[in-house]
Amino acid sequence: MEFYLKTERLDLGMWEESDSIWFRQLVGERGIDIPTLDDARNQIFDARKRALEQGISLLTIRRRDEGDFIGYCGLVIGRSTLEEPEIAFELFRNSHRQGYATEAASVIMDCAIATGRHRIWSTVRAWNVASFRVLEKIGFERHHSTWDERGELVWNVRELK
């Protein structure tokens, strides 16, 4: 997949070391332990390495006019496979409900189609109504659910061919 993309309002690109600051803040919005700055940097270095090895990646999302980091979107192995990866996205809460996730996810799906893949997955916690709305807008359908210690996990799929 391409690692630098543009939409009408957004620039998507590879993670840079300086993104570790924003990444830590985004993780903090989840209500879980925030990684140290060194851990965040290491995660970014690892992500860049995996991107080159696998040909897929999460990309940072920046608003074009403002230039600010608002989240990420991309393809990952996640709970699936390299042949049938997952689309994943996460945005700062103050960037929700403005169409940014749908806009970013749409361009990522265009990239997925261009790679010749046949199927893309997304796993979402049952409570995450906003993510289900984005997935529905970009053509995903609920497939099945699994359960773990954190509750229900809904598997969504989009057939590409």
Side-chain angles (χ1 to χ4, degrees):
M1 78 181 253
E2 294 181 45
F3 294 138
Y4 295 96
L5 305 166
K6 293 185 180 295
T7 70
E8 183 178 329
R9 301 181 297 163
L10 305 173
D11 289 326
L12 285 75
M14 287 294 287
W15 292 83
E16 301 294 336
E17 183 178 354
S18 59
D19 295 325
S20 56
I21 296 165
W22 309 114
F23 175 69
R24 292 180 73 239
Q25 290 178 3
L26 187 61
V27 170
E29 284 195 352
R30 297 180 198 160
I32 62 174
D33 289 339
I34 298 172
T36 66
L37 192 54
D38 283 341
D39 286 343
R41 281 188 195 116
N42 289 335
Q43 288 179 38
I44 287 171
F45 291 142
D46 290 346
R48 289 180 64 86
K49 181 181 174 191
R50 276 192 314 277
L52 297 174
E53 293 169 354
Q54 298 172 348
I56 61 174
S57 184
L58 294 174
L59 303 177
T60 61
I61 305 171
R62 285 181 170 72
R63 293 187 301 173
R64 177 170 296 147
D65 291 342
E66 295 83 351
D68 57 334
F69 176 100
I70 61 169
Y72 63 78
C73 183
L75 298 176
V76 295
I77 292 175
R79 296 175 183 90
S80 194
T81 65
L82 185 58
E83 294 77 24
E84 294 185 3
E86 288 191 57
I87 189 170
F89 47 88
E90 181 176 15
L91 278 69
F92 281 116
R93 287 186 190 119
N94 65 2
S95 296
H96 288 191
R97 303 187 66 85
Q98 298 177 56
Y100 295 134
T102 303
E103 190 171 330
S106 293
V107 74
I108 293 295
M109 288 306 298
D110 290 345
C111 283
I113 292 166
T115 68
R117 288 183 164 79
H118 299 283
R119 184 176 299 127
I120 303 295
W121 294 93
S122 183
T123 54
V124 178
R125 293 286 166 192
W127 55 263
N128 194 338
V129 175
S131 288
F132 288 120
R133 279 195 307 264
V134 170
L135 291 171
E136 184 179 323
K137 289 176 187 175
I138 62 171
F140 277 77
E141 296 179 354
R142 290 184 187 211
H143 188 272
H144 69 279
S145 292
T146 57
W147 285 261
D148 62 17
E149 67 281 351
R150 292 177 49 210
E152 183 180 6
L153 187 66
V154 180
W155 290 70
N156 304 274
V157 67
R158 178 170 167 193
E159 303 289 340
L160 301 179
K161 293 193 175 189

